[in-house]
């Protein structure tokens, strides 16, 4: 298998992208990151990418607060293709990906979600877990489809929820699991792709 080129989409701090970069640097993941795109011009993920000499650009969502307009998805697909991307990793990307982008990368878009799906889809899954009083939550990497956190599951890791956990303490523990699971699942999935 040839070495895959990854494209990362993120809206926030980019710690999952960093975990992927660290796995590449330590030889645990044979891949390269070709481009990082963000819908949020102030996102730290862009700065991190540039520090690592990775092409980093903003996706213009025409002032839409939460929607991912079709034109913006087409532009995203164009940039990803231009960068030679084989596999797209959503890493804290806060907009729902729909047809234009899904059609451009069929079965080639992965997402990391901070719960054991199908439990707690949607926003702030760690808070949902604490509020529901469960004793176990976790992390899921899945293929992206048109639903919200509904695509086929590729990997999961469970994380204990303690009685004295706050959403913040649980999220901190979940992040540690995310940073292990995402690079490892990308490695396994990419190994089965014909590139
Ligand atoms: C992660 O908790 C991820 O599961 C969620 O958003 C957060 C992104 O964090 N979807 P980061 O930008 O990778 O640091």
């Amino acid at each position: 298998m040839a070495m895959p080129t990854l494209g990362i989409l993120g809206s926030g701090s980019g710690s999952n992208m960093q975990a992927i970069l660290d796995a590449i640097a330590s030889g645990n993941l044979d891949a390269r990151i070709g481009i990082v795109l963000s819908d949020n011009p102030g996102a730290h993920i862009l700065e991190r990418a540039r520090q690592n000499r990775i092409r980093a650009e903003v996706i213009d969502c025409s002032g839409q607060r939460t929607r991912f307009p079709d034109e913006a998805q087409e532009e995203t697909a164009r940039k990803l293709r231009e960068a030679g991307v084989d596999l797209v990793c959503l890493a804290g990307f806060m907009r729902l990906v729909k047809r234009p982008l899904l059609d451009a990368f069929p079965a080639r878009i992965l997402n990391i979600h901070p719960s054991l799906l199908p439990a707690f889809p949607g926003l702030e899954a760690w808070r949902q877990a604490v509020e529901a009083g469960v004793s176990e939550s976790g992390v899921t990497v899945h293929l992206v489809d048109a639903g919200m956190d509904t695509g086929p599951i590729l990997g999961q890791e469970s994380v204990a929820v303690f009685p004295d956990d706050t959403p913040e303490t649980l999220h901190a523990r979940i992040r540690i699991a995310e940073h292990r699971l995402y690079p490892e699942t990308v490695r396994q999935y990419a190994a089965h792709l014909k590139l």
Side-chain angles (χ1 to χ4, degrees):
M1 186 213 55
M3 181 172 78
T5 297
L6 310 178
I8 313 269
L9 267 58
S11 309
S13 85
S15 68
N16 280 285
M17 180 200 68
Q18 187 67 55
I20 290 172
L21 276 174
D22 292 348
I24 292 171
S26 63
N28 289 327
L29 176 61
D30 189 21
R32 59 182 284 273
I33 298 181
I35 189 167
V36 172
L37 297 170
S38 180
D39 58 323
N40 171 10
H44 187 50
I45 193 170
L46 291 170
E47 205 177 302
R48 279 197 212 244
R50 291 183 186 125
Q51 278 164 6
N52 286 279
R53 296 199 181 76
I54 297 167
R55 182 175 158 200
E57 291 177 21
V58 175
I59 307 167
D60 178 6
C61 289
S62 322
Q64 298 273 348
R65 242 171 37 83
T66 53
R67 275 192 59 242
F68 194 7
D70 281 2
E71 311 74 60
Q73 295 193 44
E74 279 154 16
E75 176 70 0
T76 300
R78 201 182 57 71
K79 285 180 193 282
L80 292 167
R81 282 211 199 91
E82 205 177 273
V85 166
D86 302 299
L87 203 56
V88 181
C89 298
L90 307 187
F93 187 66
M94 301 308 284
R95 293 177 196 252
L96 275 186
V97 170
K98 295 283 183 186
R99 278 205 56 181
L101 192 48
L102 290 172
D103 287 354
F105 288 89
R108 297 282 178 109
I109 307 180
L110 275 57
N111 182 42
I112 179 119
H113 182 80
S115 75
L116 290 178
L117 289 171
F120 311 126
L123 292 177
E124 298 195 325
W126 56 87
R127 186 181 306 280
Q128 296 184 49
V130 168
E131 285 171 0
V134 294
S135 59
E136 184 190 43
S137 190
V139 179
T140 302
V141 176
H142 63 95
L143 278 177
V144 174
D145 64 11
M148 190 194 284
D149 305 320
T150 49
I153 290 172
L154 301 177
Q156 290 187 306
E157 183 174 326
S158 69
V159 173
V161 184
F162 302 128
D164 59 352
D165 261 329
T166 63
E168 292 69 30
T169 58
L170 176 60
H171 191 200
R173 215 170 318 109
I174 280 178
R175 277 177 172 281
I176 294 169
E178 287 186 340
H179 299 162
R180 249 193 318 264
L181 186 71
Y182 211 0
E184 175 56 20
T185 310
V186 168
R187 189 187 67 72
Q188 287 173 16
Y189 191 67
H192 291 101
L193 292 177
K194 292 195 172 60
L195 301 178

